[in-house]
């Protein structure tokens, strides 16, 4: 094969076929470098790159400053229930993360990268931005918690009568904001230097946090009972609480089993299951910390699932033990009224202080770094345009310093909340929404049954994904219905924005896989044996020789299809045996871009054949699937006119137009100049015709033999987009080439004409058009006969629910030109037997009659007689059709074979 040595994979990985095409390797290196820095920056293994940041993110400020708060308000049993619910949700999401991350190469951007490459740019961009905001708010929560811990030790206490030399920091809202800004500035400096600084120090921080945590466990065994006095300011008056640490005591454990929700002393609001759970859940939001470092990991597909699972199991065990120890040793009032209870009961209080500071700083830096990587990935994907364009800038070492500055500025805004508990609910809602999105991505991949979805991690199913989505959404609304509703509204607005921008990507669209899966299933259910005339609709195959001269007809047929199948067919002359490859395959993108440009809802089917007739037969037989196959063939009219070039008339096809094909971005390799160059110039005087009259009439005859309805379209290049005055649709249901049958208006073909005209009258711009039906009668009939004919036809229209004006046309003068008696007219099967001069006069008279009554119509529907059986009569047949329709304007000659009207309910 000619392409035997082409790269198998084009995006982000090397070719696996020998050493062929070094270009693919260079493309891969450029792609990888653009997303995650140089390949040398991928230095982190499972432990340092995933486990350490994940554990530190989950051992954040909640471990040291809110564990007692949770146990005090919720009690041990509800506290453990909250912990189990939180980790249950986290575990379900973790299964989805592991499945997605082991299904291919994961680049920089972590969770955003996985979601966007699974669900496509709309979902990926909107959910990625929401996840970014969650990381920003989480960073703000951590910084506020750290400042709270600092002020608890070094802050002035105006209610205390004892002067302590180390309590030198003034307290208040603006001082809290100031201290938070200083801490955040320190994090910014570290992050600007680079993530490798944080990665090198993270293990030391983890050791310090582990020692601090172990000191808490040890203290409950060593420290004896103690009594404390805690003072708080409430509404300009001081309240003092006498609390105690009892050590291990069965009475203390019994008292702490059940819940006792009360006022939170920092916010002076009554706590509930939802508000306490919101605070506690922030300790579980770090499971994606390792995934967000995907750009720095040596092997993300292995490290992310392995490291995250181990980190989750470790932190869950620590939290369970700590809950049990606190509920067994601390008086409930001590747990509720003092966030720093772990420091009070520690064998050496500085252990906890150091642990709080280290855990908070590391979690803040981890959130800042992770958020900046997500923003950098969003900027590289160009989903939000110019506002994020500067965020693509990186340093020489690959650090996205502009993204870090963006993120720092947003976190600075969040610290104006002033209290950790105030924005904890918002952080939790954002994270739950992001987790639900990850579960949705995995669920969609599983349901799509795509052959390339083969994750090496197998411990998941669509049940776990669906349960994860439901759990996240339920808990969102339990925690805060207002925040949850607002976040979903913002997500939907972002979805609409990105859908409107229509970003094109090469990531693969999960929507396409899901649509394929569902369409295949429903196509099997669409049984052609169950078709009923009541639900008939046009399913059109429009044969197009050159779209340069057929754009108006393509647009018109798109309006005529009434929600039915519409296929653009094209036959390229050639023999595959004489060609090195199929030339048709490279043409589909050009035709699909044309469909996009014209804004029509059509499929494209191309074929290679030695003749146009044979190719049309192929398309009529094989186009469509199951019950969705064309029932109507539409052809342009065969005459001697030279077509006009629509591409030169429409500004949308000219250089400098505002069409989508001129916008920057990936348009599947087809821009406007390429589209113009692909389709050849229209036929002129010197051009050879590829289709003989006999072959054209043969195509019509073949379609009728195959049971397809046939429409021949003439003068549709004259069709205006909008008429200046009221438009009319004229229908001539009589076979004008068989005058003896002019009084038969209810045969299958005539009813088909009526149905097609009615269908057009129901579509778009044609809804305002007036439908007129012309009945050709003999004037020699008396008035009663004419009224009876009109009344019978009006009754037919009433049964068919067609609103139309009936016009009676006397055409005795036209028929008399044939010189035949009434009996001879009825027996006349074809006009070919008449003398040429008589026939020519008759045809010209019919043409004048049509111009007189339908000259101003927007479009005309006319009866198409059956083509001749002998090929020698093809030219005469076309000449008759041409003479009748000469100079009329847009005209559709129709021969219908299938019953399409129904008078029953």
């Amino acid at each position: 094969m000619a392409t035997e040595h082409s790269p198998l994979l084009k995006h982000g990985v090397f070719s696996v076929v020998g050493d062929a095409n070094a270009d693919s390797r260079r493309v891969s290196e450029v792609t990888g470098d653009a997303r995650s820095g140089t390949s040398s920056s991928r230095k982190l293994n499972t432990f340092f790159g995933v486990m350490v940041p994940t554990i530190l993110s989950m051992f954040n400020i909640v471990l040291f400053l809110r564990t007692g708060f949770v146990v005090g308000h919720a009690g041990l049993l509800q506290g453990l229930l909250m912990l189990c619910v939180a980790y249950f949700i986290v575990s379900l999401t973790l299964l989805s993360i592991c499945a997605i991350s082991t299904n291919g190469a994961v680049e920089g951007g972590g969770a955003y990268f996985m979601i966007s490459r699974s669900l496509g740019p709309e979902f990926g961009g909107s959910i990625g931005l929401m996840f970014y905001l969650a990381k920003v708010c989480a960073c703000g929560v951590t910084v506020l918690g750290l400042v709270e811990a600092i002020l608890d030790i070094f802050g002035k206490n105006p209610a205390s009568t004892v002067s302590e030399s180390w309590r030198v920091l003034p307290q208040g809202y603006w001082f809290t904001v100031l201290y938070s800004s200083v801490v955040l500035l320190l994090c910014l400096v570290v992050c600007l230097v680079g993530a490798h600084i944080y990665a090198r120090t993270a293990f030391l921080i983890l050791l310090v946090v582990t020692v601090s945590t172990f000191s808490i466990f040890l203290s409950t065994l060593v420290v004896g009972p103690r009594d404390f006095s805690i003072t708080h300011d409430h509404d300009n008056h001081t309240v003092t609480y006498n609390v105690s640490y009892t050590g291990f005591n069965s009475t203390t454990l019994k008292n702490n089993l059940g819940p006792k929700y009360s006022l939170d002393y920092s916010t002076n609001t009554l706590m509930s299951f939802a508000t306490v759970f919101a605070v506690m859940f922030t300790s579980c939001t770090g499971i994606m910390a390792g995934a967000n470092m995907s750009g720095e990991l040596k092997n993300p597909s292995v490290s992310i699932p392995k490291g995250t699972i181990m980190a989750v199991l470790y932190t869950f065990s620590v939290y369970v033990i700590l809950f049990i120890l606190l509920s067994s040793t601390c008086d409930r009032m001590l747990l509720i009224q003092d966030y720093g209870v772990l420091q009070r009961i520690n064998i050496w209080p500085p252990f906890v202080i150091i642990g709080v500071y280290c855990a908070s700083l590391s979690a803040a830096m981890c959130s800042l770094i992770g958020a900046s990587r997500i923003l950098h990935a969003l900027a590289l994907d160009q989903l939000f345009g110019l506002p994020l364009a500067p965020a693509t800038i990186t340093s020489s070492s690959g650090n996205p310093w502009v993204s870090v500055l963006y993120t720092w500025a947003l976190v600075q805004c969040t610290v104006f909340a002033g209290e950790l508990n105030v924005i904890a609910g918002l952080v939790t809602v954002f994270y739950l929404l992001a987790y639900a999105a990850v579960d949705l991505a995995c669920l969609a991949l599983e349901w799509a049954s795509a052959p390339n979805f083969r994750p090496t991690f197998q411990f998941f199913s669509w049940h776990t994904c669906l349960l994860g989505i439901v759990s996240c959404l339920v808990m969102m609304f339990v925690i805060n219905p207002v925040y949850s509703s607002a976040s979903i509204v913002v997500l939907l607005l972002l979805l609409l924005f990105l859908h409107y921008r229509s970003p094109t990507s090469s990531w693969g669209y999960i929507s396409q896989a899901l649509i394929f899966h569902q369409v295949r299933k429903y196509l099997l259910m669409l049984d052609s044996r169950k078709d009923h005339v009541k639900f008939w609709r046009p399913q059109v195959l429009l044969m197009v020789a050159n779209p340069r001269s057929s754009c108006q007809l393509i647009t018109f047929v798109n309006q005529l299809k009434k929600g039915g199948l519409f296929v653009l067919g094209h036959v390229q002359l050639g023999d595959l045996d004489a060609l090195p490859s199929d030339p048709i395959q490279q043409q589909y993108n050009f035709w699909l871009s044309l469909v996009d440009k014209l804004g029509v809802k059509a499929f494209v089917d191309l074929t290679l054949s030695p003749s146009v007739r044979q190719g049309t037969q192929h398309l009529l037989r094989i186009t469509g699937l199951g019950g969705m196959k064309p029932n109507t063939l539409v052809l342009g009219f065969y005459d001697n006119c030279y077509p006009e070039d629509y591409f030169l008339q429409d500004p949308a096809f000219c250089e400098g137009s505002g069409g989508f094909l001129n916008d920057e971005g990936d348009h599947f390799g087809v821009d406007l100049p390429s589209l113009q160059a692909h389709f050849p110039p229209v036929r002129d005087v010197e051009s050879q015709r590829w289709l003989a009259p006999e072959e054209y009439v043969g195509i019509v005859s073949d379609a009728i033999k195959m049971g397809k309805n046939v429409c021949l379209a003439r003068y549709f290049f004259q069709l205006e987009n909008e008429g200046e005055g009221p438009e009319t649709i004229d229908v001539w249901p009589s076979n004008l080439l068989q005058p003896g049958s002019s009084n038969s208006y209810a045969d299958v073909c005539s009813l088909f004409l009526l149905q097609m005209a009615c269908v057009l009258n129901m579509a778009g711009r044609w809804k305002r058009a007036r439908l007129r039906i012309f009945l050709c009668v003999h004037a020699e009939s008396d008035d009663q006969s004419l009224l009876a004919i009109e009344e019978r036809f009006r009754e037919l229209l009433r049964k068919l629910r067609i609103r139309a004006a009936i016009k009676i046309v006397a055409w005795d003068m036209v028929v008399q030109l044939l010189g035949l008696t009434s009996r001879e007219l009825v027996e006349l099967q074809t006009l070919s037997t008449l003398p040429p001069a008589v026939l020519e006069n008759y045809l010209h008279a019919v043409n004048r009659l049509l111009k007189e009554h339908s000259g101003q119509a927007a479009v005309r529907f006319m009866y198409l007689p059956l083509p001749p059986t002998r090929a020698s009569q093809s030219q005469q047949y076309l000449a008759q059709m041409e003479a009748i329709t000469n100079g009329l304007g847009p005209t559709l000659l129709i021969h219908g074979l299938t019953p399409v009207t129904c008078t029953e309910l």
Side-chain angles (χ1 to χ4, degrees):
M1 292 177 62
T3 57
E4 185 177 3
H5 298 293
S6 62
L8 293 182
L9 299 174
K10 299 180 180 179
H11 300 290
V13 290
F14 293 163
S15 170
V16 294
V17 184
D19 191 34
N21 282 349
D23 290 342
S24 67
R25 178 166 298 190
R26 288 194 292 270
V27 169
S28 174
E29 290 171 348
V30 170
T31 304
D33 292 350
R35 292 208 61 87
S36 56
T38 59
S39 58
S40 62
S41 65
R42 291 182 172 270
K43 298 178 179 179
L44 302 180
N45 58 16
T46 300
F47 182 76
F48 290 101
V50 181
M51 275 195 68
V52 171
T54 303
I55 292 174
L56 287 176
S57 295
M58 301 183 77
F59 279 173
N60 56 20
I61 204 72
V62 174
L63 175 67
F64 295 103
L65 293 184
R66 290 297 185 272
T67 306
F69 164 86
V70 173
V71 176
H73 284 283
L76 176 62
L77 296 181
Q78 283 200 12
L80 290 176
L81 175 63
M82 290 180 183
L83 194 66
C84 291
V85 170
Y87 272 83
F88 177 71
I89 295 173
V90 163
S91 299
L92 292 174
T93 305
L94 179 57
L95 297 179
S96 301
I97 293 173
C98 295
I100 297 175
S101 63
T102 59
N103 189 53
V106 181
E107 302 292 343
Y112 158 70
F113 183 88
M114 292 188 286
I115 294 171
S116 62
R117 270 46 177 186
S118 300
L119 297 182
E122 290 96 341
F123 272 98
S126 55
I127 295 169
L129 189 60
M130 296 295 287
F131 187 55
Y132 168 74
L133 294 176
K135 297 294 288 184
V136 167
C137 293
C139 185
V141 165
T142 308
V143 170
L144 288 172
L146 175 57
V147 170
E148 181 183 294
I150 293 173
L151 292 177
D152 190 52
I153 303 299
F154 300 103
K156 291 181 179 179
N157 187 0
S160 175
T161 58
V162 181
S163 177
E164 296 171 309
S165 60
W166 63 86
R167 290 187 175 271
V168 295
L169 296 178
Q171 298 194 53
Y173 170 77
W174 288 109
F175 283 108
T176 300
V177 173
L178 175 62
Y179 304 146
S180 300
S181 301
V182 173
V183 171
L184 192 56
L185 189 62
L186 175 63
C187 296
L188 173 65
V189 172
V190 174
C191 293
L192 286 177
V193 173
H196 61 282
I197 298 294
Y198 167 74
R200 290 173 184 173
T201 58
F203 179 61
L204 295 177
I205 296 174
L206 179 61
L207 287 179
V208 172
V209 173
T210 303
V211 171
S212 301
T213 306
F214 179 75
S215 73
I216 297 171
F217 297 159
L218 183 62
S219 297
T220 58
L221 300 174
V222 175
V223 176
R226 298 179 181 179
D227 294 325
F228 304 100
S229 179
I230 300 175
T231 302
H232 295 307
D233 289 332
H234 288 298
D235 298 327
N236 298 323
H237 68 278
T238 302
V239 180
T240 301
Y241 300 93
N242 295 316
V243 296
S244 61
Y245 166 75
T246 64
F248 283 100
N249 187 298
S250 59
T251 303
T252 304
L253 177 60
K254 183 179 179 181
N255 292 335
N256 287 332
L257 287 178
K260 190 176 181 180
Y261 297 107
S262 57
L263 290 177
D264 174 30
Y265 72 84
S266 65
T267 60
N268 201 30
T269 56
L270 181 63
M271 292 292 100
S272 64
F273 182 92
T275 54
V276 173
F277 179 81
V279 174
M280 193 279 300
F281 192 81
T282 56
S283 66
C284 307
T285 56
I287 62 168
M288 293 188 182
N292 291 333
M293 300 293 289
S294 57
E296 282 80 22
L297 296 174
K298 290 180 182 178
N299 193 344
S301 297
V302 174
S303 298
I304 290 174
K306 184 178 178 182
T308 309
I309 290 174
M310 293 173 66
V312 167
L313 292 174
Y314 175 72
T315 56
F316 178 74
S317 302
V318 170
Y319 274 115
V320 169
I321 295 172
L322 194 55
F323 274 34
I324 295 173
L325 291 178
L326 287 177
S327 61
S328 302
T329 59
C330 295
D331 175 63
R332 183 184 292 274
M333 195 57 66
L334 172 61
L335 296 174
I336 291 176
Q337 298 300 332
D338 189 6
Y339 293 153
V341 61
L342 296 180
Q343 176 192 339
R344 288 184 182 273
I345 66 173
N346 199 271
I347 190 173
W348 188 54
F351 271 135
V352 176
I353 297 172
I354 295 171
V356 168
Y357 295 169
C358 290
S360 303
L361 271 176
S362 66
M365 286 188 287
C366 184
S367 296
L368 193 59
I369 292 172
S372 64
R373 272 28 179 197
I374 295 172
L375 185 65
H376 180 62
L378 280 166
L380 285 177
D381 290 335
Q382 300 178 356
L383 298 182
F384 293 95
L386 289 177
L388 295 187
T392 58
I393 300 173
T394 60
S395 64
S396 58
S397 61
N399 184 32
W401 61 273
V402 177
S403 296
V404 174
L405 290 175
Y406 267 57
T407 307
W408 166 80
L410 283 177
V411 176
Q412 183 64 55
C413 295
T414 66
V415 301
F416 283 100
E419 287 290 346
L420 183 153
N421 291 6
V422 173
I423 57 174
L426 182 62
V427 174
T428 303
V429 166
F430 277 166
Y431 269 108
L432 283 170
L433 187 61
Y435 291 168
V438 174
D439 289 321
L440 176 63
C442 191
L443 177 67
L445 289 168
E446 180 69 9
W447 274 356
S449 301
N452 279 317
F453 183 57
R454 299 188 297 270
T456 56
F457 182 86
Q458 295 291 322
F459 300 100
F460 79 102
S461 70
W462 69 266
H463 304 85
T464 61
C465 300
L466 187 59
L467 187 58
I469 295 172
V470 173
S471 302
C472 290
L473 294 178
V474 169
M475 289 312 303
M476 281 173 59
F477 284 92
V478 168
I479 290 168
N480 195 312
V482 176
Y483 285 166
S484 301
S485 302
S487 63
I488 291 175
V489 168
V490 171
L491 177 65
L492 293 176
L493 290 175
L494 289 171
L495 272 172
L496 291 175
F497 170 75
L498 289 174
H499 181 73
Y500 177 76
R501 288 194 75 238
S502 299
T504 302
S505 72
S506 59
W507 309 339
Y509 296 81
I510 189 64
S511 58
Q512 297 299 302
L514 290 172
I515 290 170
F516 177 89
H517 186 268
Q518 292 302 109
V519 167
R520 180 193 62 82
K521 182 171 69 174
Y522 285 116
L523 274 174
L524 291 172
M525 296 171 62
L526 188 61
D527 193 339
S528 58
R529 295 170 297 182
K530 299 179 182 178
D531 286 346
H532 194 280
V533 66
K534 288 191 296 185
F535 307 112
W536 181 90
R537 66 183 70 225
Q539 302 201 86
V540 182
L541 171 64
L542 171 61
M543 297 302 299
V544 179
N546 189 344
R548 284 181 175 270
S549 58
S550 308
C551 289
Q552 293 97 328
L553 180 57
I554 294 173
T555 304
F556 175 78
V557 175
N558 183 64
Q559 298 168 334
L560 187 64
K561 71 181 188 303
K562 185 55 179 175
L565 180 68
F566 180 23
V567 181
L568 298 182
H570 173 73
V571 180
Q572 179 169 330
L573 299 180
D575 187 358
L576 193 59
D577 288 341
L579 298 171
S581 63
D582 185 4
I584 296 298
Q585 301 307 316
Q586 292 82 26
Q587 297 186 25
Y588 273 98
N589 272 358
F590 293 97
W591 283 84
L592 292 173
S593 296
L594 175 74
V595 167
D596 293 338
K597 188 70 171 173
L598 293 174
V600 298
K601 297 178 181 178
F603 298 94
V604 174
D605 212 347
L606 313 177
T607 188
L608 183 72
S609 179
S611 70
V612 176
R613 181 177 182 180
Q614 193 175 34
T616 305
Q617 288 180 12
H618 294 166
L619 294 178
L620 283 172
R621 291 186 188 279
I622 66 175
T623 296
L625 285 173
M628 293 194 69
K629 296 184 73 69
N631 55 34
T632 304
L633 174 67
V634 179
L635 301 171
F637 197 80
Y638 190 98
D639 55 23
N640 294 319
C641 302
Y642 293 105
E644 299 181 14
D645 193 336
Y646 181 81
F647 283 13
L648 300 180
Q649 299 175 5
D650 191 336
F653 286 91
C654 300
E655 290 287 354
S657 68
F660 76 94
L661 291 170
N662 282 331
D663 297 338
E664 293 183 2
D666 185 6
H667 298 297
F668 305 100
V670 180
D671 54 9
L672 185 57
S674 302
L675 185 70
Q676 292 173 324
H678 175 74
F679 297 110
V682 297
R683 180 172 56 88
D684 56 21
V685 179
E686 299 179 357
S687 300
Q688 178 185 357
R689 299 194 68 149
W690 296 100
L691 193 62
E694 294 78 12
E695 189 175 7
Y696 179 85
V697 176
I699 292 173
V700 176
S701 180
D702 292 343
I704 293 174
K705 290 178 183 177
M706 297 168 70
K708 309 296 183 182
N709 310 296
V710 178
C711 302
L712 305 184
R714 189 177 192 191
Y715 292 126
F716 273 87
F717 63 88
Q718 298 178 2
L719 188 66
E720 300 292 336
N721 291 330
E722 290 286 348
E724 296 180 358
E727 295 179 327
T728 59
I729 301 171
D730 289 356
V731 182
W732 295 78
S734 304
N735 185 351
L736 300 180
L737 291 187
Q738 195 173 349
S741 63
S742 60
N743 290 331
S744 176
Y745 304 110
D747 66 350
V748 171
C749 185
S750 297
L751 293 177
F752 188 87
L753 257 72
L754 291 175
Q755 181 78 344
M756 294 296 282
C758 185
V759 167
L760 180 64
N761 200 203
M762 298 166 67
R765 57 168 279 202
W766 301 99
K767 288 183 178 180
R768 298 187 301 273
R770 292 187 300 113
L771 187 60
R772 301 190 301 179
I773 301 175
F774 292 87
L775 303 181
C776 295
V777 299
H778 297 287
E780 63 189 23
S781 304
D782 56 31
D783 294 340
Q784 294 295 328
S785 299
L786 294 178
L787 289 174
I789 293 172
E790 182 178 353
E791 186 59 32
R792 285 199 305 271
F793 197 79
R794 194 176 302 281
E795 178 65 16
L796 175 65
L797 294 183
R798 187 186 64 79
K799 291 181 178 180
L800 297 176
R801 290 93 57 206
I802 296 177
R803 295 181 180 179
I806 300 175
K807 304 291 183 181
I808 303 297
V809 177
W811 72 326
D812 297 72
M813 298 298 295
V814 176
V815 176
Q816 288 174 4
L817 294 174
L818 296 175
L820 301 175
T821 65
S822 299
R823 183 174 180 179
E824 290 172 335
L825 282 174
V826 173
E827 294 176 352
L828 183 66
Q829 298 296 319
T830 175
L831 298 180
S832 303
T833 58
L834 298 174
V838 172
L839 177 58
E840 184 176 356
N841 289 336
Y842 172 75
L843 296 176
H844 286 313
V846 171
N847 179 250
R848 287 194 300 271
L849 181 72
L850 292 172
K851 287 181 178 178
E852 178 185 350
H853 293 279
S854 286
Q856 302 302 317
V859 65
R860 300 146 196 84
F861 288 76
M862 294 181 59
Y863 195 115
L864 176 68
L866 282 170
T869 55
R870 289 182 294 176
S872 59
Q873 296 178 339
S874 297
Q875 289 193 10
Q876 185 180 13
Y877 174 77
L878 289 176
Q880 294 171 7
M881 296 299 102
E882 183 176 6
I884 287 179
T885 59
N886 184 42
L888 272 183
T891 304
L892 209 60
L893 293 158
I894 300 176
H895 190 88
L897 295 176
T898 56
V900 294
T901 56
C902 180
T903 59
E904 300 175 358
L905 181 63

